[in-house]
Amino acid sequence: QVQLVESGGGSVQTGGSLTLSCVASGSIVNISAMGWYRQAPGKQRELVARISSGGRTNYEDSVKGRFTISRDNAKNTVYLQMSSLKSEDTAVYYCNADILTPWRIRDVYWGQGTQVTVSS
């Protein structure tokens, strides 16, 4: 069994900052890519940022320069530092990870989501 648990969401004013964390636990051999997605009400889930096992990153255009994704491989944890938050960043944020289990099965796992609300 593999679990991803997010934390760090909450309410913040426009221009503020939040840092999200996501810890993967369970039967894990290794983790390749990890990422953050978000889903706003009435919209499809979209990629926010992604980081490879080697640290290569990519970002959705609207968050470039404002969000930073990072990971701690020793802790199986991925972070999303968000600054200069805007109302349009309001969404449920989900982490995911591409994980190899001891049964030699590689699959993508998702967290349960954490709400981020940005208001003026």
Side-chain angles (χ1 to χ4, degrees):
Q1 295 286 349
V2 173
Q3 276 191 318
L4 272 64
V5 179
E6 300 109 333
S7 61
S11 296
V12 65
Q13 290 190 325
T14 302
S17 300
L18 281 174
T19 297
L20 306 182
S21 301
C22 173
V23 181
S25 63
S27 302
I28 297 171
V29 173
N30 66 50
I31 303 175
S32 53
M34 304 183 81
W36 288 96
Y37 290 70
R38 66 186 178 188
Q39 187 167 19
K43 295 188 176 181
Q44 289 189 332
R45 190 174 297 188
E46 64 175 0
L47 173 67
V48 176
R50 197 157 175 79
I51 184 167
S52 71
S53 57
R56 185 179 305 171
T57 60
N58 64 283
Y59 296 91
E60 193 269 328
D61 285 345
S62 70
V63 308
K64 286 179 180 177
R66 300 189 298 121
F67 291 10
T68 301
I69 189 171
S70 60
R71 63 190 285 172
D72 184 331
N73 291 330
K75 296 181 179 180
N76 289 341
T77 301
V78 62
Y79 305 95
L80 186 68
Q81 294 176 277
M82 306 183 292
S83 62
S84 302
L85 283 162
K86 306 175 181 179
S87 57
E88 50 263 44
D89 295 317
T90 295
V92 178
Y93 284 70
Y94 300 89
C95 72
N96 82 346
D98 188 335
I99 295 174
L100 178 66
T101 66
W103 302 274
R104 304 194 67 78
I105 296 173
R106 182 173 293 281
D107 205 350
V108 176
Y109 294 84
W110 291 86
Q112 81 286 354
T114 186
Q115 177 71 46
V116 172
T117 302
V118 184
S119 59
S120 57

PDB file of all heavy atoms in Angstrom, residues 5 25 52 63 66 80 84 103 113:
ATOM      1  N   VAL A   5       0.076  12.018   1.495  1.00  0.00           N
ATOM      2  CA  VAL A   5      -0.674  12.886   2.395  1.00  0.00           C
ATOM      3  C   VAL A   5      -0.164  14.311   2.251  1.00  0.00           C
ATOM      4  O   VAL A   5       1.015  14.583   2.499  1.00  0.00           O
ATOM      5  CB  VAL A   5      -0.555  12.427   3.858  1.00  0.00           C
ATOM      6  CG1 VAL A   5      -1.321  13.376   4.767  1.00  0.00           C
ATOM      7  CG2 VAL A   5      -1.082  10.998   4.015  1.00  0.00           C
ATOM      8  N   SER A  25       4.305   7.458   1.653  1.00  0.00           N
ATOM      9  CA  SER A  25       4.696   6.419   2.598  1.00  0.00           C
ATOM     10  C   SER A  25       4.119   5.076   2.169  1.00  0.00           C
ATOM     11  O   SER A  25       3.218   5.012   1.338  1.00  0.00           O
ATOM     12  CB  SER A  25       4.212   6.765   4.011  1.00  0.00           C
ATOM     13  OG  SER A  25       2.802   6.815   4.042  1.00  0.00           O
ATOM     14  N   SER A  52      11.343  16.001 -11.548  1.00  0.00           N
ATOM     15  CA  SER A  52      11.853  14.653 -11.783  1.00  0.00           C
ATOM     16  C   SER A  52      12.683  14.196 -10.586  1.00  0.00           C
ATOM     17  O   SER A  52      12.993  14.986  -9.681  1.00  0.00           O
ATOM     18  CB  SER A  52      12.718  14.633 -13.039  1.00  0.00           C
ATOM     19  OG  SER A  52      13.939  15.326 -12.791  1.00  0.00           O
ATOM     20  N   VAL A  63       2.054  30.199 -13.124  1.00  0.00           N
ATOM     21  CA  VAL A  63       2.696  30.171 -11.805  1.00  0.00           C
ATOM     22  C   VAL A  63       4.199  30.369 -11.881  1.00  0.00           C
ATOM     23  O   VAL A  63       4.868  30.461 -10.845  1.00  0.00           O
ATOM     24  CB  VAL A  63       2.390  28.854 -11.053  1.00  0.00           C
ATOM     25  CG1 VAL A  63       0.887  28.594 -11.008  1.00  0.00           C
ATOM     26  CG2 VAL A  63       3.129  27.671 -11.654  1.00  0.00           C
ATOM     27  N   ARG A  66       6.404  32.526  -9.463  1.00  0.00           N
ATOM     28  CA  ARG A  66       5.691  32.687  -8.193  1.00  0.00           C
ATOM     29  C   ARG A  66       5.730  31.411  -7.342  1.00  0.00           C
ATOM     30  O   ARG A  66       5.753  31.476  -6.113  1.00  0.00           O
ATOM     31  CB  ARG A  66       4.229  33.071  -8.441  1.00  0.00           C
ATOM     32  CG  ARG A  66       4.046  34.357  -9.203  1.00  0.00           C
ATOM     33  CD  ARG A  66       2.581  34.787  -9.222  1.00  0.00           C
ATOM     34  NE  ARG A  66       1.716  33.813  -9.891  1.00  0.00           N
ATOM     35  CZ  ARG A  66       0.680  33.212  -9.316  1.00  0.00           C
ATOM     36  NH1 ARG A  66       0.376  33.458  -8.042  1.00  0.00           N
ATOM     37  NH2 ARG A  66      -0.071  32.347 -10.004  1.00  0.00           N
ATOM     38  N   LEU A  80       5.641  22.558  -2.395  1.00  0.00           N
ATOM     39  CA  LEU A  80       5.264  23.596  -3.331  1.00  0.00           C
ATOM     40  C   LEU A  80       5.217  24.910  -2.567  1.00  0.00           C
ATOM     41  O   LEU A  80       4.318  25.122  -1.760  1.00  0.00           O
ATOM     42  CB  LEU A  80       3.910  23.318  -3.995  1.00  0.00           C
ATOM     43  CG  LEU A  80       3.519  24.301  -5.087  1.00  0.00           C
ATOM     44  CD1 LEU A  80       4.440  24.141  -6.298  1.00  0.00           C
ATOM     45  CD2 LEU A  80       2.060  24.104  -5.509  1.00  0.00           C
ATOM     46  N   SER A  84       3.113  35.403  -3.838  1.00  0.00           N
ATOM     47  CA  SER A  84       2.342  36.342  -4.668  1.00  0.00           C
ATOM     48  C   SER A  84       1.029  35.714  -5.116  1.00  0.00           C
ATOM     49  O   SER A  84       0.656  35.779  -6.296  1.00  0.00           O
ATOM     50  CB  SER A  84       3.167  36.788  -5.877  1.00  0.00           C
ATOM     51  OG  SER A  84       4.373  37.383  -5.473  1.00  0.00           O
ATOM     52  N   TRP A 103       6.618  -5.037  -5.615  1.00  0.00           N
ATOM     53  CA  TRP A 103       6.069  -6.032  -6.539  1.00  0.00           C
ATOM     54  C   TRP A 103       6.376  -5.686  -7.980  1.00  0.00           C
ATOM     55  O   TRP A 103       5.763  -6.211  -8.902  1.00  0.00           O
ATOM     56  CB  TRP A 103       4.558  -6.147  -6.309  1.00  0.00           C
ATOM     57  CG  TRP A 103       4.265  -6.520  -4.891  1.00  0.00           C
ATOM     58  CD1 TRP A 103       4.215  -7.771  -4.366  1.00  0.00           C
ATOM     59  CD2 TRP A 103       4.034  -5.611  -3.807  1.00  0.00           C
ATOM     60  NE1 TRP A 103       3.952  -7.695  -3.012  1.00  0.00           N
ATOM     61  CE2 TRP A 103       3.842  -6.405  -2.645  1.00  0.00           C
ATOM     62  CE3 TRP A 103       3.976  -4.222  -3.695  1.00  0.00           C
ATOM     63  CZ2 TRP A 103       3.594  -5.841  -1.397  1.00  0.00           C
ATOM     64  CZ3 TRP A 103       3.722  -3.659  -2.445  1.00  0.00           C
ATOM     65  CH2 TRP A 103       3.533  -4.470  -1.321  1.00  0.00           C
ATOM     66  N   GLY A 113      -5.841  15.697  -1.498  1.00  0.00           N
ATOM     67  CA  GLY A 113      -6.095  17.091  -1.827  1.00  0.00           C
ATOM     68  C   GLY A 113      -6.102  17.989  -0.605  1.00  0.00           C
ATOM     69  O   GLY A 113      -6.480  17.564   0.492  1.00  0.00           O
TER      70      GLY A 113
END
